[in-house]
Amino acid sequence: MTPDAGTIGLLYTKFVIGLLIFVRISGMFITAPFYKSMAILPQVKVFLAIVIATSMTQFYWTQQPTFDFHLWSLVLLVFKEFTVGAIIGFAANLVFLGARMAGGLIDFEMGFQAASVFDPASNNPTLIGELNELITLMIFLIINGHHQLIEVIFASIRAVPLTTFAISEPTYILLIKFTTTIFILAIKIAAPVLIALFSTNLALALLARVAPQTNIFIISFQLKVAVGLLMLFVSVPLLVYVIKWALGSMQEQTMQLLMTLYPPRV
């Protein structure tokens, strides 16, 4: 083999490794919080992904195993890398889904989602859910969660090399566990408001028994909204604490999920 041919082969291998890393980063950018935002221009996302992929290629390309440069093998590797990146983004997005779900529960109890009762197919926005999601995003940026995602994508190359991938039973168990944490987190966030609204409904029911002539149906709308907004204001410190705690454990949970994708050595 001539030196020129060896150099071309080396550059080709380096290009393929960089391309696969770029696909993994792109998969994360599509599903991860902050990076998937439509407020960020696609050109900026592509440029950032290229910069990160280039730096990771310079650091990791000598540690990667040899590749089979057959077309279909490369197609499968591209699909696998996109899946790994999407899994990283999905695990990081669970806290945002839980906060949005908590807002949906509160909206339904306060009557902001009354239209969906009459028309379940309508795509009505959840007002409190969007507020919770914005608060979660602010906390995510304050604790440098977007930097943590970059650290996770760097560490994922060691945890899941480019040619290895296996969805095992621990992976399914962790995915189910992470999915259940969405409901647990939503209940924790919405609990103060839900308890207050339940107490309000109980008080209104007792009032209806004591004074049947009172128009409880009309009073309940204004009263539930007032109680719900008051409890939202009072429970803001608890909301910040719960979300900060959930985001703090996000990186560790993501790495646990990535470690299950590495096939066990025989």
Side-chain angles (χ1 to χ4, degrees), residues 166-187:
I167 299 180
S168 56
E169 183 178 354
T171 306
Y172 294 116
I173 295 175
L174 277 180
L175 286 176
I176 295 173
K177 179 182 176 181
F178 291 165
T179 304
T180 55
T181 57
I182 297 177
F183 299 95
I184 298 174
L185 182 62
I187 295 300

Side-chain angles (χ1 to χ4, degrees), residues 154-222:
F154 263 85
S156 69
I157 298 298
R158 287 187 180 273
V160 186
L162 298 179
T163 57
T164 58
F165 180 73
I167 299 180
S168 56
E169 183 178 354
T171 306
Y172 294 116
I173 295 175
L174 277 180
L175 286 176
I176 295 173
K177 179 182 176 181
F178 291 165
T179 304
T180 55
T181 57
I182 297 177
F183 299 95
I184 298 174
L185 182 62
I187 295 300
K188 286 183 179 180
I189 294 174
V193 181
L194 294 180
I195 293 173
L197 292 176
F198 175 78
S199 301
T200 303
N201 289 331
L202 183 60
L204 290 173
L206 294 176
L207 180 61
R209 297 288 293 179
V210 174
Q213 68 276 11
T214 307
N215 195 341
I216 302 299
F217 182 75
I218 299 299
I219 296 176
S220 63
F221 283 106
Q222 294 87 351

